[in-house]
Amino acid sequence: MNENPADLAPELCVLIAAVLGLVNGLFLPRERQWRVAVICAAGLVAGLAAAGVAATRADLTVFDSFAVDPVTHVTRITVLGATLGVLVLAAGRVRGHPRESEHYVLILLAALGAIVLGAASDLLVLVAAYLLASIPAYALAGFGKDAPGTEAALKYYLMSALLGVFMLAGVTLLFGVGRGTAYPVLRAGLSGAPSAAVAVGVVAVLAGLLFKAGAVPGHFWVPDVTEGAPPAIAAFVTTVPKIGAFAALYRFAAETLPPGAAGWPALVAAAAAVTMTLGNLAAFGQDNVRRLLAYSTVSQAGYLLVPVAMAGRTGLAEPALLYYVAAYAVTNLGAFAVVLARGRDDLAGYAGLMRGSPLLGLSLVVCLLGFVGTPPTAVFVGKVLMFGAALDGGYGWLAAVAAVNSVASVFYYLRWIVPLFRRPDGPSRPARGARAVAVAAALLSLALGIGSGLALTT
């Protein structure tokens, strides 16, 4: 057993930064609490550097419960990078707040939970990571202490508690029939266990992870939290926890379940089809851009479930999921950065953005067309890989459903894009930090898309 704490250097960097930030916040006056943001950002940068170094080493399992492999590497880098962007978005809005330090620390702790969620190779660690990724997010959702935020936090908590209980029950059942909690032990134990008991346990665990992923049937919290929480936190909860959740779903399927156990491919494929379809249908009539983005993230969760369903059936499943989840994180963060920079939640408020702030308008266009899967954005390559995984795994019907939904989504994204080219209603002064994040995300999406596209063609 490998028990070297240095193998957890990225996670330790985040944890140390969170502790130092919390301690410093206790003694800093209100006008100097911005230093905590610097400490947290430094911890994230150090974590990114450590994750990059770790990605060059051989795969291993730390403490028999924490896998360090390509799935973990992508989870680490994507979560840390996205969280760094969220810190930039949040810094301007909470500057001078009595709980500014706690705000940054809660973001780091929830991000740490998302990383552990994606790297866990033991059911007990999975449950602990689920709680760590969830509990700070409740406080962040209601951080504004206004009516919408309080309602959002309450709905978030109640849905998480309900599906978390199902998840715990599933873990208990799988432990009982599989005679262990470590994934390799479970894989051996579940092969001879009663199929009905395995199916019930798998469905219960799946319920909790689908909640974190924002997929059906655990998606009800997404629009309310996205609309009611502060914009930077809405970007966070619709991006970072999803990364860990999809990594955890893939690892659970690939490393724990015997081939075809509990009808996993068909079950998750059905959830994927329903999720992407419901998300698109609900987004059609939205005039609030945050709710539109919320249902957009639900539909994107459906696309991300496709390679999860194909886990163990095709070698394309893992690269499709890892690339798509990174591309989604960049695109979603960029879209929310535009919303925060513009400071308007209604579609009419974006009229003339292309004339008033061309860089911001172009960034929004790139991100929205990226969600559709338009070349040369990063999500385009992710969708190509996703379609390939579905076809190679023998689920052509799922690829067809995903293609139809991708085309249908063009309608509600165009409802947002068209007003950008109209005459502006008034002067526009976007927030600088949010504008920088939006432009950076759009450029990164294009760079990833072009680079990956060239790599695939060669």
Side-chain angles (χ1 to χ4, degrees), residues 34-374:
W34 59 267
R35 296 181 180 179
V36 176
V38 176
I39 294 172
C40 293
L44 292 171
V45 172
L48 278 169
V53 172
T56 63
R57 298 173 181 163
D59 297 348
L60 55 98
T61 302
V62 187
F63 299 104
D64 280 345
S65 59
F66 190 97
V68 181
D69 56 14
V71 176
T72 301
H73 299 324
V74 173
T75 301
R76 282 171 165 174
I77 293 171
T78 309
V79 166
L80 294 173
T83 305
L84 188 60
V86 170
L87 278 184
V88 175
L89 295 179
R93 291 299 183 97
V94 297
R95 181 68 55 82
H97 192 281
R99 296 289 179 266
E100 182 179 357
S101 298
E102 290 89 332
H103 190 269
Y104 303 132
V105 171
L106 287 170
I107 290 175
L108 255 65
L109 292 176
L112 179 60
I115 295 174
V116 179
L117 193 66
S121 59
D122 188 287
L123 288 179
L124 297 181
V125 177
L126 183 72
V127 171
Y130 176 90
L131 294 174
L132 180 58
S134 300
I135 294 174
Y138 308 150
L140 288 169
F143 199 81
K145 293 185 177 180
D146 52 2
T150 302
E151 181 183 355
L154 182 61
K155 289 181 178 179
Y156 197 11
Y157 164 72
L158 291 176
M159 181 66 68
S160 176
L162 174 63
L163 296 180
V165 169
F166 279 107
M167 184 177 178
L168 285 171
V171 167
T172 304
L173 184 56
L174 292 179
F175 168 68
V177 298
R179 301 180 182 277
T181 56
Y183 286 3
V185 175
L186 276 173
R187 189 176 182 89
L190 293 179
S191 60
S195 57
V198 174
V200 172
V202 167
V203 170
V205 172
L206 186 62
L209 293 177
L210 288 179
F211 161 79
K212 294 307 296 178
V216 174
H219 69 287
F220 293 103
W221 63 274
V222 179
D224 294 312
V225 173
T226 304
E227 182 181 15
I233 301 306
F236 180 81
V237 299
T238 57
T239 304
V240 174
K242 284 178 178 283
I243 301 168
F246 283 109
L249 282 164
Y250 180 84
R251 191 183 299 282
F252 180 73
E255 299 180 8
T256 306
L257 300 180
W264 177 271
L267 177 64
V268 179
V274 173
T275 299
M276 65 179 75
T277 303
L278 187 148
N280 280 330
L281 290 176
F284 283 150
Q286 300 299 325
D287 292 321
N288 183 294
V289 296
R290 284 213 257 172
R291 291 187 74 87
L292 188 152
L293 280 176
Y295 285 113
S296 170
T297 65
V298 172
S299 68
Q300 294 296 319
Y303 304 130
L304 283 162
L305 281 175
V306 174
V308 172
M310 299 301 104
R313 296 179 63 89
T314 170
L316 287 175
E318 183 175 314
L321 175 69
L322 297 183
Y323 186 90
Y324 200 148
V325 79
Y328 163 78
V330 170
T331 306
N332 195 59
L333 193 63
F336 273 99
V338 174
V339 173
L340 196 148
R342 183 64 170 177
R344 296 285 297 271
D345 289 344
D346 56 313
L347 284 174
Y350 289 79
L353 182 61
M354 194 64 75
R355 298 184 182 183
S357 181
L359 277 178
L360 200 61
L362 285 172
S363 300
L364 181 59
V365 170
V366 169
C367 291
L368 295 182
L369 292 181
F371 281 134
V372 177
T374 306

Side-chain angles (χ1 to χ4, degrees), residues 348-434:
Y350 289 79
L353 182 61
M354 194 64 75
R355 298 184 182 183
S357 181
L359 277 178
L360 200 61
L362 285 172
S363 300
L364 181 59
V365 170
V366 169
C367 291
L368 295 182
L369 292 181
F371 281 134
V372 177
T374 306
T377 60
V379 175
F380 166 72
V381 179
K383 285 196 173 183
V384 169
L385 293 172
M386 178 267 292
F387 288 133
L391 294 172
D392 196 46
Y395 275 70
W397 68 267
L398 185 57
V401 171
V404 171
N405 274 280
S406 295
V407 174
S409 67
V410 174
F411 170 76
Y412 61 84
Y413 289 125
L414 285 178
R415 289 186 64 228
W416 195 352
I417 292 174
V418 170
L420 303 180
F421 298 90
R422 294 174 182 166
R423 187 179 301 278
D425 294 334
S428 174
R429 294 182 179 179
R432 292 182 180 178

